[in-house]
């Protein structure tokens, strides 16, 4: 089983390209010049993932005011992502990573344990990315329900328009 080794502060974001649930294209190049939060989550419509997504939804205006775009990403299909996004009125895109290539590039794919079972999957990790395409902060082992609120509290004290 593969252990995770997530990107760390000051690492350059790897080249990636994908689409969201509406078919819009996203890539490292397209996102250059924008600050964004890329949060990896295991699966659409699960209790933890729903709590985390709704937390970011509920704080969406805060992130907009800080000029930070939000992107959720997991291995779900276009249909499951779009259903999830519409069901919970998520105002931000959910990016596709059906073969987990992006999760592997970011170092968040690896061994997980749940209810006595060991398997490989996406770890709940978030990355705050600078306008120049480097990692400003990596958030490991985040708690789904409290992560959005904790991030808001942290960013309230920071200048958000850094590189």
């Amino acid at each position: 089983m593969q252990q995770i080794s997530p990107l760390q502060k000051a690492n350059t974001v790897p080249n990636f390209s994908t689409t969201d649930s509406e078919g819009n294209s996203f890539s490292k190049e397209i996102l250059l010049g924008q600050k964004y939060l890329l949060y990896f989550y295991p699966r659409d419509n699960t209790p933890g993932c729903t709590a985390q997504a709704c937390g970011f939804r509920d704080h969406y205006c805060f992130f907009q005011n800080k000029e930070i775009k939000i992107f959720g990403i997991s291995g779900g299909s276009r249909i499951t992502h779009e259903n999830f996004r519409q069901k919970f009125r998520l105002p931000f895109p959910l990016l596709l990573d059906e073969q987990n290539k992006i999760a592997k590039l970011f170092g968040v794919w690896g061994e997980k344990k749940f209810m006595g079972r060991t398997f490989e999957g996406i770890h709940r990790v978030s990355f705050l990315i600078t306008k120049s395409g480097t990692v400003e902060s990596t958030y490991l082992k985040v708690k789904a329900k409290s992560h959005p609120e904790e991030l808001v509290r942290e960013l309230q004290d920071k200048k958000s328009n850094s590189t």
Side-chain angles (χ1 to χ4, degrees), residues 28-41:
K28 174 187 174 179
E29 296 303 316
I30 289 170
L31 293 171
L32 278 176
Q34 301 176 66
K35 190 167 184 173
Y36 60 98
L37 177 75
L38 184 62
Y39 80 91
F40 286 85
Y41 66 97

Side-chain angles (χ1 to χ4, degrees), residues 41 44 74 77 79-85 94-96:
Y41 66 97
D44 295 326
S74 77
S77 71
I79 292 169
T80 63
H81 274 8
E82 188 58 17
N83 288 343
F84 184 50
R85 202 177 68 74
L94 297 179
L95 305 182
L96 300 174

Side-chain angles (χ1 to χ4, degrees):
M1 289 272 187
Q2 180 181 354
Q3 296 300 315
I4 69 166
S5 183
L7 296 177
Q8 297 297 312
K9 184 175 182 158
N11 287 159
T12 299
V13 170
N15 288 324
F16 72 91
S17 66
T18 188
T19 59
D20 68 4
S21 60
E22 295 183 320
N24 301 307
S25 294
F26 291 89
S27 69
K28 174 187 174 179
E29 296 303 316
I30 289 170
L31 293 171
L32 278 176
Q34 301 176 66
K35 190 167 184 173
Y36 60 98
L37 177 75
L38 184 62
Y39 80 91
F40 286 85
Y41 66 97
R43 199 163 152 210
D44 295 326
N45 288 304
T46 58
C49 296
T50 298
Q52 184 177 25
C54 290
F56 283 124
R57 176 201 63 203
D58 295 347
H59 293 292
Y60 187 68
C61 286
F62 171 84
F63 288 96
Q64 279 188 311
N65 290 337
K66 292 282 191 182
E67 297 181 5
I68 300 170
K69 303 233 185 228
I70 298 173
F71 301 99
I73 184 166
S74 77
S77 71
R78 183 175 177 175
I79 292 169
T80 63
H81 274 8
E82 188 58 17
N83 288 343
F84 184 50
R85 202 177 68 74
Q86 288 189 15
K87 180 178 180 180
F88 294 102
R89 295 184 171 92
L90 304 179
F92 50 85
L94 297 179
L95 305 182
L96 300 174
D97 189 20
E98 290 184 272
Q99 277 119 33
N100 304 301
K101 291 179 181 177
I102 300 169
K104 290 173 184 172
L105 286 173
F106 277 77
V108 300
W109 178 265
E111 183 178 293
K112 296 178 76 168
K113 294 181 182 189
F114 183 69
M115 296 182 72
R117 198 173 68 108
T118 301
F119 58 97
E120 287 193 336
I122 291 178
H123 287 255
R124 192 180 306 278
V125 177
S126 298
F127 299 93
L128 190 59
I129 311 296
T130 67
K131 292 179 181 180
S132 61
T134 59
V135 176
E136 181 176 313
S137 298
T138 300
Y139 302 91
L140 302 169
K141 297 181 182 178
V142 297
K143 302 242 186 293
K145 290 181 182 179
S146 60
H147 179 50
E149 179 70 33
E150 290 167 356
L151 191 53
V152 164
R153 280 197 303 268
E154 177 185 318
L155 293 173
Q156 283 174 329
D157 299 328
K158 275 185 171 181
K159 290 183 181 178
S160 69
N161 292 325
S162 60
T163 55

